[in-house]
Structures are given as C-alpha cells and as structure tokens.
Amino acid sequence: MPLVLVCLVLGGVFWTIFLRDRGAPPTVPAGRIEQHRAAVESCLARADLACARIALLDMQRELPGDENWRDLQVRVTALETNLAKQAEPARPTRATAPAPAPTEAPEPVYTQIAQTPPAPAAVPDRAAQVDAASRERAPVRYPPEAMRAGARGNVLLTIAVAEDGTATAISVTRTSRERSLDRAALEAARRWRYLPAIRDGRAYASAMQLEVNFSPDAGNASDMADLRQPDNSYPPKAPTIAPPSAAPEAGLLSKARVELQQGRYDVAVALGESALQVNPDSAAARSLIRQAKAERDRVMRETTIE
C-alpha cells in the first residue's frame, strides 16, 4: 500500500511537469527576433512593399507572439496606404490658360503664277482658195507648141477642197477649146496647195472656181481670178463669173471678157480701151485688148482663106 501511494505521487508530479512544459510557448532567442526586425526595417527603409510583406510573414511564422511584430505590421500597412495614394492619378485642377506667346508676322510667300497664254485670234470666215506660195513655186506652164501656134483661151476650173485643204476633185468647167491648154491648167492645179474654207472658226469642205488665161501676147499664162460660188457649196452650182471688185476698171473688163467669149471682138477691144482710160496702168486691160485683137485677126485670116 505505501508503495502504491508513492507511485501515485511520483506520477502526479511527472504529469504536472509534462503538461506545464507542453502548454508553454517555445522560447526564441533574442538575437533571432532582432534579425527578423532588422529585415523588415530594411524593406521599410527602401519603401519596398513586397519585401516588407515577405519579411513580416516570415517573422509571424517563426514568432507567434504578436508583441514581437505588431508595430511592424502597422508600419507595413501605413506604407501600403501611402503607396496607393501616390499611385492615384492626379486630379486636374483649373488653371488659367497661359497667355499666347507673341507671334511674329508671317513672311510673305511669293508664288509664281503661270501666265495663261493669250487665246489664238479667231480665223475670219473665208472661202477656199489657192495657197499663194505654192502657186508661185509651180506656175502654169504655157505649152510651147500652143504658144508657137498662137493658141489662146481661158480655162475655167472647178476644184473641190476638203477640210484639210486637199483637192479631192479638179475638173474643167469651161474649156478653152484647146486640149493642150486645158491639160496645162489641170496639171498646174494638181500641183498647187489649197486653203480650206472657214466658217465660224471651223474648216469645212467646199468648192472653188479658178479661171486661167492663156495669151501668147503676154508670153505666159496667168490665173486671172478665183471665181467662187456665193455660198461655197459643194458640189458646186452652175459656174457664174463674178467680176473682180478690187480695181476701178473691173466692171469694164468683165464685160469685155463676156464680149470676147461671144466673138464680138471689136466690142471687147472698145471696152478694154475704156478700162485702160480708167486705169492707164492696168496690165489686165492691155492683155485683154491684145487678146481681142489677136482673136479678131485670126478670125479674119480664116475667113479670107475660105
């Protein structure tokens, strides 16, 4: 019995000591606490929030007592709040607009304006006509055999002129009754260049008439006048001989030509002399007088032979 009591007493003492040691918190060396605190303090000094959180978490795991790290937790929370405020965008504040800086007067810009070329002058209306330069380069050739034989006459040509000035058709409207003279007039007209008729500034196809005079007394052939239709129509109408209006004796010469063509040679000579009185310098009047006299002499010779 005494032995049982002793065992119970010793067991109670042992059990009391074991439970007391087990319920008491573990003791941590003071140096370890200082290390944790130094680590947290270092992160706070650099304002490194992530570093401070990790160091504080390590300290809380190893040191359960909050008296060791409560003040550090407050400082970490304060750092987090401060950094959050700094990260917020600054609110715009009303501020007076700065006065505009004085601007210098802009330098004048000089631009070169292209000058518009003047519009070409409108081409006046005209009828188709022979190019004067080409007519001078290629004059009518008096057939030598016809000149030696004293053949004479007037050839009236009708010439169709296209829009580009091309002679599309040349024909004898009134023959001189001498084939060689008609052929010479045709060959000359084919060598010439022509100017198209113009109406309202545009070229158009038309027809013109040209009379070529062959006279052995003058020694050559000459184109007497451009004889055109009033409306320059194409195909041409029946030929009409219009007297030139430039010279004062033109009317007398026109009548003299008509008389010459109809065989009234004395009347033609008289009209030619009247025209010569009006204009003593008229070469056309002298040529017509010579032609009328020559025709009269020829007819008289033929009549005498018969």
Side-chain angles (χ1 to χ4, degrees):
M1 189 67 179
L3 182 60
V4 174
L5 292 173
V6 171
C7 290
L8 291 173
V9 171
L10 291 175
V13 172
F14 176 76
W15 186 258
T16 302
I17 295 173
F18 177 76
L19 291 178
R20 186 187 61 183
D21 293 339
R22 189 172 180 178
T27 58
V28 180
R32 187 61 179 167
I33 296 175
E34 293 299 328
Q35 289 180 0
H36 282 291
R37 292 187 66 87
V40 178
E41 291 285 353
S42 176
C43 295
L44 292 175
R46 297 194 307 268
D48 190 348
L49 181 60
C51 174
R53 286 177 175 175
I54 294 173
L56 180 60
L57 183 60
D58 292 341
M59 185 176 183
Q60 289 174 348
R61 288 175 180 175
E62 190 171 351
L63 302 175
D66 58 355
E67 69 276 0
N68 296 320
W69 41 261
R70 183 181 296 277
D71 59 330
L72 296 177
Q73 185 176 11
V74 173
R75 293 175 60 187
V76 171
T77 303
L79 176 61
E80 182 178 2
T81 303
N82 189 21
L83 292 178
K85 289 181 179 180
Q86 293 179 4
E88 291 181 359
R91 295 181 180 179
T93 57
R94 290 187 178 180
T96 58
T103 57
E104 297 181 357
E107 297 183 359
V109 179
Y110 299 95
T111 57
Q112 185 176 2
I113 301 176
Q115 296 182 356
T116 304
V123 180
D125 292 350
R126 71 182 182 206
Q129 57 189 356
V130 182
D131 181 67
S134 67
R135 184 168 53 187
E136 292 177 1
R137 288 193 300 267
V140 181
R141 297 173 183 175
Y142 206 129
E145 63 279 5
M147 183 179 292
R148 287 192 297 268
R152 66 181 67 239
N154 300 328
V155 182
L156 184 63
L157 301 176
T158 299
I159 305 168
V161 182
E163 294 88 342
D164 58 355
T166 305
T168 57
I170 303 176
S171 61
V172 177
T173 303
R174 186 180 67 242
T175 179
S176 65
R177 300 182 182 180
E178 290 288 342
R179 183 174 300 179
S180 60
L181 300 183
D182 295 348
R183 185 166 51 248
L186 285 172
E187 291 176 355
R190 293 190 182 103
R191 293 194 301 269
W192 293 337
R193 293 168 53 192
Y194 299 88
L195 302 178
I198 300 295
R199 181 180 296 169
D200 298 331
R202 298 183 61 182
Y204 65 97
S206 62
M208 59 171 288
Q209 290 184 326
L210 180 71
E211 186 176 21
V212 182
N213 177 27
F214 292 91
S215 175
D217 299 331
N220 59 3
S222 61
D223 48 323
M224 298 173 61
D226 291 341
L227 307 176
R228 306 180 185 90
Q229 302 297 330
D231 57 353
N232 289 292
S233 59
Y234 181 75
K237 299 177 182 179
T240 57
I241 301 177
S245 59
E249 72 279 9
L252 294 172
L253 290 177
S254 177
K255 294 178 181 180
R257 292 189 185 98
V258 174
E259 298 294 335
L260 179 61
Q261 292 172 4
Q262 294 179 357
R264 293 190 285 269
Y265 306 113
D266 292 334
V267 178
V269 171
L271 290 172
E273 290 175 350
S274 299
L276 195 59
Q277 291 177 1
V278 175
N279 183 9
D281 298 330
S282 175
R286 291 191 178 91
S287 176
L288 188 142
I289 292 171
R290 288 195 299 268
Q291 182 179 356
K293 289 180 178 180
E295 289 289 337
R296 182 183 61 187
D297 296 341
R298 180 180 62 81
V299 171
M300 291 177 66
R301 286 196 303 269
E302 293 176 354
T303 303
T304 302
I305 293 174
E306 294 177 355

